[in-house]
Amino acid sequence: MVAQRIAFLASGADTAQDALVSLTALYGNHAPEVASHIVALGGDGFMLQTLHQTQSLDIPVYGMNCGTIGFLMNAYGKDDLPKRLAEASEEVLNPLAMKVETVAGPPVFGLAINEVSLLRAGPQAAKLRISVDGRVRMEELVCDGALVATPAGSTAYNYSAHGPIVPIGSDVLTLTAIAAFRPRRWRGALLPKAAVVRFDVLEPDKRPVRADADSLSVPGVLSVEIRSEPGIRHRILFDEGHGLEERLLREQFA
């Protein structure tokens, strides 16, 4: 087995910090820039943070669950970690890129591994116009919000908003309304991965909207443009037999 240089990164939770101490004592701890593998200790939120922070390194990231949510994580265990890393299966994910025009200031850019969401920021429902590849597809959606999700994110906020779960290997994005009021029965759309989605906020002063891309939140939205970013590859490792494809299937039969 080729010698592994593991970089351990941990969230601030006590369980993750304790795991960091134990694993470092067993396997050492390298800087991410010189590591062969990055091991993230925490929950899904910390995994997303780690993927964003290390996206320029082209190093696979293996998560171990020390938090409360772990869809992107593997089970925690101190023993045989080098063997687990060597035998793990790899999934490659492309994030979404968003460009936000706001009522004040220059455009804001962000990346999202799970989804880009627009949410009402006041007491009244949002009014959104939806365009796909430059063509208006819905003149007015009255709702609490809407989101565009990657296949990896289809089991997260998208699923809670009654959007579909889609396989990792499918080149599609989900567009899902959040608490749609009009059209009341609109359930969203499946779009090609290469599609460019634009939301224009109607009546932004009366019905303010914010845009969220993972941990980045932008208030005072006028419009948001969303597209897949193939130039960025997130390499995620899963224990054999417990990859994202299997997890997506299990989630649909739970």
Side-chain angles (χ1 to χ4, degrees):
M1 183 183 299
V2 178
Q4 296 167 343
R5 302 180 307 279
I6 304 172
F8 292 104
L9 303 176
S11 74
D14 290 342
T15 53
Q17 290 296 313
D18 290 344
L20 176 63
V21 172
S22 298
L23 291 165
T24 298
L26 285 171
Y27 304 109
N29 195 359
H30 292 77
E33 293 77 13
V34 298
S36 60
H37 298 79
I38 294 170
V39 174
L41 305 170
D44 275 353
F46 185 71
M47 182 64 165
L48 292 176
Q49 178 183 328
T50 300
L51 291 171
H52 282 296
Q53 290 178 345
T54 62
Q55 67 187 27
S56 64
L57 299 178
D58 194 31
I59 298 172
V61 180
Y62 179 91
M64 285 209 286
N65 193 11
C66 299
T68 55
I69 299 176
F71 188 80
L72 296 174
M73 313 301 278
N74 300 284
Y76 176 75
K78 293 187 293 183
D79 299 330
D80 299 323
L81 179 57
K83 183 174 184 290
R84 291 172 70 180
L85 291 175
E87 296 178 352
S89 59
E90 181 176 310
E91 305 278 4
V92 176
L93 307 178
N94 302 119
L96 296 172
M98 79 168 184
K99 175 184 176 183
V100 186
E101 299 286 351
T102 67
V103 295
V108 179
F109 297 88
L111 294 170
I113 296 166
N114 276 351
E115 77 278 322
V116 172
S117 57
L118 279 75
L119 300 167
R120 76 177 193 181
Q124 298 194 67
K127 285 187 177 182
L128 307 174
R129 181 169 62 240
I130 303 173
S131 303
V132 179
D133 293 332
R135 180 177 177 182
V136 175
R137 292 293 182 176
M138 183 169 289
E139 287 288 353
E140 184 178 279
L141 171 66
V142 183
C143 56
D144 279 354
L147 61 87
V148 176
T150 66
S154 68
T155 59
Y157 195 0
N158 171 74
Y159 192 34
S160 298
H162 307 292
I165 293 177
V166 295
I168 288 297
S170 58
D171 289 334
V172 298
L173 304 174
T174 65
L175 196 169
T176 302
I178 302 169
F181 176 72
R182 189 170 60 245
R184 190 178 297 273
R185 298 185 184 279
W186 189 65
R187 299 302 298 272
L190 291 176
L191 304 174
K193 184 178 180 179
V196 178
V197 182
R198 178 184 172 96
F199 294 100
D200 287 287
V201 178
L202 309 179
E203 304 177 28
D205 294 330
K206 181 180 179 182
R207 302 170 184 269
V209 169
R210 79 169 195 265
D212 293 342
D214 289 348
S215 61
L216 174 66
S217 187
V218 183
V221 172
L222 292 176
S223 67
V224 180
E225 189 173 274
I226 304 162
R227 67 181 72 214
S228 182
E229 179 47 79
I232 298 176
R233 299 167 69 251
H234 295 291
R235 301 168 60 194
I236 307 179
L237 297 177
F238 294 96
D239 289 331
E240 194 65 36
H242 298 278
L244 272 181
E245 199 71 54
E246 173 63 23
R247 294 174 190 219
L248 289 171
L249 284 171
R250 285 205 311 263
E251 191 73 24
Q252 294 177 86
F253 290 92

